[in-house]
């Protein structure tokens, strides 16, 4: 394949490996550099997972969301795992996202841009490099692309072969999602395909079914007048993950014949996590040179003086669709921390898509040792986010959620009012607590009520 010359949009002093000259936080220690080099070389020879055409189409779609023409729904597990790469887990997660988007399309009366946290969400930042249990200290679990969760020296060793396995599991996931969507799984004429068995018992089932019936009615009405509308039979689905493990991302950073510049072709929409967003750090260095649309998580400690230079570094030309800022402040902090950021970005006239992540600022531990989140705090942060944006004259253009299509009990509250003692019943996450199917659907309904009120 002929390699294109570096495009004008690629900074002259940038290369896919230039991040290695900066401090890279949250990376594992690989004990054998030769083994790592062999694995990344193999990874670099394998086909990419997405195409530059799709990446640029998403950037265009995000530009439209920035202008208020659509709303972003981004969601999935905190971390995928290799053992959860199964047919029911993938299809249930897709179903819940499709159902939520149906609720939102219906209520918001605008298109919903669907982006999964999947097909590559295998690397996790950790608060400490090591973990000690009963006097034994081992490296922390950093996600399946790095090591395994079991507390043994063998499991916790950073294994470069896992880079290859993560690519393979991402490809399996992508392949299945693409096949389901191409096969009509997401056809708006057949939302019954997406019913999850246990929704029947949900207090929200009646409201949801009524919405589906009303969508079916309007669809039939429009098609009676206009004939079959093909776009209702197909939806687009894009992928995203935290591009944390830079050896993996670098190996999948490619040039293509038709579009100049470099693309991260492991995903459509990579994001920088809160812990790795330092202006002079390796992650910002890596991200500034790729042409994908990108997102940055913005936590409560970020000031306007930090945010504006970060935006200059990541989107110097103020390109439409390029930059999404995902604020994750916490229900208690958002009222104080968000307004100065919104004012600064507005004052500078910068173009961004503002998205709320109401999950990561609301994590707490229960007295019985579970990491959980209260539905009321998640809802409270989202409610406030809509109001704060309205007051600032900015627009909340999307939500970023951790959720699963499984019937887990990881977050407290919601329509069934899960309590602390319910958590042990079906707590499956090895990292952050996720909304279950019902809590996710409930949140989608609340988003609609809030944003049209
Ligand atoms: C995450 O999205 O799982 C995560 C770690 O988020 P943050 O970087 O916002 O803490
Ligand atoms: Mn998380």
């Amino acid at each position: 394949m002929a390699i294109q010359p570096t495009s004008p949009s690629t900074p002259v002093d940038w290369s896919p490996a230039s991040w290695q000259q900066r401090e890279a936080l949250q990376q594992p220690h690989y004990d054998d550099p030769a083994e790592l080099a062999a694995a990344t070389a193999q990874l670099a020879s394998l086909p990419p997972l997405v195409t530059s055409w799709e990446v640029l189409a998403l950037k265009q779609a995000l530009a439209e969301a920035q202008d208020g023409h659509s709303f972003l729904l981004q969601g999935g597990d905190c971390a995928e795992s290799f053992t959860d790469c199964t047919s029911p887990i993938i299809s249930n997660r897709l179903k819940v996202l499709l159902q939520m988007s149906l609720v939102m399309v219906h209520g918001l009366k605008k298109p919903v841009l669907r982006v999964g946290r999947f097909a590559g969400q295998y690397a996790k930042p950790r608060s400490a490099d090591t973990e000690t249990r009963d006097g034994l200290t081992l490296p922390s679990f950093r996600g399946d692309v790095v090591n395994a969760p079991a507390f043994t020296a063998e499991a916790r060793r950073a294994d470069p072969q896992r880079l290859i396995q993560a690519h393979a599991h991402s490809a399996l996931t992508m392949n299945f999602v693409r096949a389901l969507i191409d096969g009509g799984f997401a056809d708006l004429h057949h939302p019954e395909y997406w019913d999850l068995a246990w929704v029947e018992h949900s207090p929200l089932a009646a409201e949801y079914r009524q919405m589906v019936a009303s969508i079916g009615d309007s669809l039939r009405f429009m098609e009676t007048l206009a004939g079959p509308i093909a776009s209702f039979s197909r939806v687009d689905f894009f992928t995203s993950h935290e591009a944390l493990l830079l050896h993996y991302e670098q190996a999948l950073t490619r040039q293509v014949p038709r579009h100049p510049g470099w693309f991260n072709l492991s995903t459509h929409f990579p994001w920088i996590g809160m812990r790795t967003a330092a202006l002079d750090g390796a992650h910002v260095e890596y991200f500034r040179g790729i042409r994908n649309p990108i997102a940055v998580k913005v936590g409560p400690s970020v000031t306007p003086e930090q945010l504006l230079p970060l935006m200059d570094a990541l989107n110097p030309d103020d390109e439409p669709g390029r930059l999404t800022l995902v604020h994750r402040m916490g229900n208690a902090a958002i009222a104080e921390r968000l307004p100065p950021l919104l004012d600064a970005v507005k004052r500078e006239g910068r173009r961004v898509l503002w998205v709320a992540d109401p999950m990561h600022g609301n994590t707490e531990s229960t007295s019985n040792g579970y990491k959980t989140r209260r539905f009321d705090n998640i809802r409270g942060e989202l409610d406030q986010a809509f109001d704060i944006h309205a007051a600032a004259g900015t627009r909340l253009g999307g939500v970023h959620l951790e959720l699963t299509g499984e019937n887990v009990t990881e977050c407290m509250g919601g329509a069934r009012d899960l309590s602390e003692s319910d958590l042990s019943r079906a707590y499956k996450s090895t990292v952050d607590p996720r909304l279950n199917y019902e809590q996710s659907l409930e949140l989608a309904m609340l988003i609609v009520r809030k944003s049209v009120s």
Side-chain angles (χ1 to χ4, degrees):
M1 188 202 302
I3 298 291
Q4 295 260 341
T6 301
S7 83
S9 63
T10 304
V12 282
D13 52 348
W14 184 91
S15 81
S18 58
W19 64 268
Q20 296 187 20
Q21 308 308 316
R22 304 285 184 91
E23 187 187 12
L25 298 179
Q26 297 285 343
Q27 306 301 294
H29 171 71
Y30 290 101
D31 48 26
D32 181 352
E35 200 188 355
L36 175 64
T40 53
Q42 187 186 346
L43 191 56
S45 73
L46 290 169
L49 298 168
V50 302
T51 67
S52 57
W53 302 96
E54 294 168 340
V55 167
L56 293 176
L58 176 63
K59 199 191 266 182
Q60 175 60 35
L62 287 164
E64 285 161 20
Q66 285 175 339
D67 291 337
H69 301 308
S70 61
F71 192 82
L72 175 74
L73 170 63
Q74 185 176 16
D77 290 313
C78 179
E80 294 177 278
S81 73
F82 295 166
T83 53
D84 281 353
C85 186
T86 66
S87 166
I89 288 184
I90 295 168
S91 54
N92 283 345
R93 186 174 49 212
L94 196 61
K95 283 178 191 179
V96 71
L97 287 165
L98 286 167
Q99 282 184 330
M100 291 172 79
S101 71
L102 185 69
V103 166
M104 291 162 69
V105 167
H106 182 251
L108 301 175
K109 310 269 181 273
K110 58 170 88 166
V112 169
L113 186 53
R114 303 166 187 87
V115 177
R117 268 179 78 113
F118 56 58
Q121 178 54 19
Y122 288 114
K124 295 310 299 173
R126 303 316 305 247
S127 47
D129 284 343
T130 57
E131 186 183 342
T132 301
R133 289 189 204 170
D134 301 328
L136 176 63
T137 299
L138 293 174
S140 295
F141 170 56
R142 291 189 172 275
D144 277 8
V145 63
V146 174
N147 56 5
F151 197 71
T152 65
E154 178 49 28
R156 293 294 175 91
R157 173 182 172 266
D159 178 359
Q161 281 309 310
R162 287 178 166 269
L163 295 160
I164 313 292
Q165 291 164 8
H167 174 269
H169 284 83
S170 300
L172 293 169
T173 305
M174 273 302 274
N175 181 57
F176 189 44
V177 168
R178 288 186 194 279
L180 283 170
I181 287 179
D182 287 346
F185 185 76
D187 188 339
L188 268 185
H189 298 87
H190 296 283
E192 71 276 8
Y193 292 172
W194 321 337
D195 256 353
L196 295 162
W198 60 281
V199 70
E200 287 157 31
H201 308 290
S202 164
L204 300 169
E207 191 176 341
Y208 176 71
R209 282 189 209 294
Q210 205 184 337
M211 206 175 289
V212 168
S214 127
I215 291 171
D217 286 348
S218 8
L219 212 61
R220 275 184 292 279
F221 177 67
M222 283 192 289
E223 293 194 337
T224 311
L225 296 179
I229 300 170
S231 61
F232 289 135
S233 315
R234 247 202 109 252
V235 295
D236 288 321
F237 226 107
F238 295 96
T239 63
S240 67
H241 68 251
E242 179 176 349
L244 181 70
L245 187 59
L246 291 172
H247 285 294
Y248 180 84
E249 307 301 333
Q250 180 189 331
L252 287 155
T253 301
R254 309 284 173 87
Q255 289 184 302
V256 299
R258 298 246 168 247
H259 297 126
W262 292 86
F263 290 83
N264 181 330
L265 296 182
S266 75
T267 188
H268 301 112
F269 190 21
W271 79 82
I272 308 182
M274 182 186 74
R275 293 166 188 77
T276 48
L279 182 60
D280 55 358
H283 291 80
V284 170
E285 171 59 20
Y286 169 74
F287 271 73
R288 81 187 171 96
I290 56 172
R291 287 199 58 197
N292 302 58
I294 62 172
V296 185
K297 294 283 204 92
V298 179
S301 69
V302 175
T303 61
E305 294 68 36
Q306 292 166 327
L307 187 61
L308 295 174
L310 199 57
M311 295 175 66
D312 286 338
L314 294 170
N315 192 18
D317 303 326
D318 210 34
E319 184 194 358
R322 161 72 174 170
L323 186 61
T324 294
L325 296 178
V326 183
H327 49 76
R328 34 85 83 225
M329 302 291 173
N331 189 34
I334 187 170
E336 186 195 334
R337 307 306 304 179
L338 184 59
L341 302 180
L342 300 186
D343 290 345
V345 172
K346 190 174 172 200
R347 195 173 54 239
E348 297 294 315
R350 300 303 297 252
R351 196 195 295 265
V352 296
L353 179 67
W354 287 108
V355 169
D357 165 357
M359 313 297 295
H360 286 90
N362 292 310
T363 314
E364 56 185 284
S365 291
T366 64
S367 53
N368 51 355
Y370 286 102
K371 204 173 173 187
T372 190
R373 292 165 173 151
R374 291 170 202 269
F375 191 85
D376 282 349
N377 286 337
I378 296 169
R379 178 197 179 156
E381 180 167 354
L382 257 185
D383 276 352
Q384 291 192 71
F386 277 106
D387 293 341
I388 293 168
H389 277 279
T394 50
R395 182 184 296 111
L396 183 63
V399 290
H400 180 122
L401 304 169
E402 287 187 343
L403 53 83
T404 169
E406 305 306 299
N407 186 5
V408 298
T409 55
E410 297 172 3
C411 291
M412 299 198 293
R416 273 173 212 257
D417 201 19
L418 295 181
S419 67
E420 207 168 302
S421 59
D422 290 313
L423 295 182
S424 60
R425 196 148 38 89
Y427 196 105
K428 297 188 186 153
S429 175
T430 51
V431 274
D432 287 342
R434 302 159 295 177
L435 297 167
N436 63 26
Y437 165 75
E438 221 170 75
Q439 292 168 330
S440 303
L441 207 55
E442 183 176 358
L443 203 64
M445 291 178 181
L446 292 170
I447 290 168
V448 166
R449 278 185 212 144
K450 182 70 191 177
S451 61
V452 297
S453 68

